[in-house]
Amino acid sequence: QPCWSEYLMTRIEQNMVVNCTCPISECHAQPTTAFIYSIVSSEEIIAKYEKALLRRYVECCSNLTWCTNPQGCDQILLKDGLGYGAACSKCSWISCFNCNFPEAHYPASCSHMSRMTCAKCSHGFCWRCLKPWRPNHKDYYNCSAMVSKAACQEKRFQDYNERCTFHHHAREFATSLRNSISSIREMPKIRNLTFVLDACKVLEQARKVLAYSCVYSYYNQDTESMDIVEQQTESLELLTNGL
């Protein structure tokens, strides 16, 4: 039993317990959940095992997924019926279930978001911060190749990227402002601030749309409808800045 206990605890710690088999090379039997519960006594290790089982279950169900909030959220979402505008019931993050981008990105399409790659080395990166997507979106983007060969295209990309980044930062400011107001309204003798909270929510959504409008415009500059799109975007930006 001590040998089994050490073996199973090691596999759980290494996140390799779901498919583990008997340590005897000729035996392919897999330990059952009941067997693991009877061998492993540590509550912390058992909790990790149960999380591993849950992760495996979600991965096996094509209709289930985790909330993609980069700040962290352990909510499991059902894909059916979650179109654009549907938010996580726990953290209110709006995910995209059609591509690997971590949030809904209207009006930019999924194909636009998947084209965020270096033209020279095909390195995938984040439009927002230029850091690589893989393995965990933490290391700085360090490819020296330009996204486009032509100097005008390089300048155009930089312009759209700066606009996109500005709107993302403005969105973060609106979120921070909403959180601050939420704290203030809890204080006694403070009048109702619901209308200010509603305004902050509108700001967050408008900045998000403006940010991804930059992506949409960058990839659709030569289409006939872009004049109308640019006019609508400019109008939205003016109204948003006013708000």
Side-chain angles (χ1 to χ4, degrees), residues 15-222:
N15 196 28
M16 300 172 62
V17 68
V18 176
N19 293 320
C20 77
T21 58
C22 174
I24 300 177
S25 59
E26 294 81 9
C27 181
H28 301 290
Q30 293 184 323
T32 64
T33 298
F35 179 75
I36 292 176
Y37 282 149
S38 67
I39 294 295
V40 180
S41 58
S42 170
E43 293 183 0
E44 181 181 353
I45 299 297
I46 288 296
K48 291 182 179 180
Y49 170 64
E50 291 175 344
K51 286 183 179 180
L53 290 180
L54 183 59
R55 284 196 302 269
R56 179 59 181 272
Y57 177 75
V58 173
E59 292 171 359
C60 292
C61 294
S62 60
N63 204 31
L64 295 179
T65 188
W66 297 99
C67 174
T68 58
N69 189 334
Q71 300 302 319
C73 179
D74 58 1
Q75 186 79 342
I76 299 173
L77 304 179
L78 181 66
K79 292 182 181 179
D80 281 357
L82 285 178
Y84 175 75
C88 172
S89 60
K90 183 174 182 179
C91 69
S92 300
W93 184 261
I94 304 176
S95 304
C96 179
F97 299 120
N98 296 318
C99 69
N100 293 325
F101 199 74
E103 71 172 340
H105 42 73
Y106 179 85
S109 68
C110 293
S111 61
H112 292 152
M113 307 314 296
S114 64
R115 289 164 66 181
M116 300 301 172
T117 55
C118 173
K120 182 177 180 180
C121 68
S122 299
H123 180 66
F125 63 95
C126 171
W127 170 278
R128 180 176 176 183
C129 65
L130 298 185
K131 296 177 185 178
W133 278 119
R134 299 181 184 280
N136 52 16
H137 197 44
K138 289 182 178 180
D139 298 323
Y140 284 96
Y141 175 65
N142 55 12
C143 177
S144 60
M146 289 293 123
V147 173
S148 175
K149 295 179 182 180
C152 61
Q153 283 294 88
E154 293 173 10
K155 179 63 168 61
R156 180 167 166 266
F157 172 82
Q158 292 171 1
D159 290 342
Y160 275 107
N161 183 62
E162 288 177 1
R163 287 170 56 191
C164 181
T165 302
F166 168 79
H167 289 304
H168 275 303
H169 288 164
R171 176 186 173 192
E172 292 173 352
F173 170 77
T175 302
S176 176
L177 183 62
R178 176 167 59 86
N179 293 335
S180 298
I181 295 171
S182 296
S183 300
I184 293 174
R185 70 183 300 201
E186 300 298 327
M187 299 174 62
K189 299 181 180 181
I190 297 295
R191 63 192 180 95
N192 195 323
L193 297 175
T194 301
F195 73 100
V196 185
L197 292 173
D198 291 339
C200 289
K201 291 178 182 178
V202 172
L203 272 178
E204 291 177 58
Q205 182 63 21
R207 290 299 183 186
K208 177 180 177 181
V209 171
L210 285 169
Y212 292 120
S213 292
C214 295
V215 182
Y216 179 87
S217 297
Y218 177 77
Y219 284 114
N220 293 277
Q221 193 65 42
D222 299 328

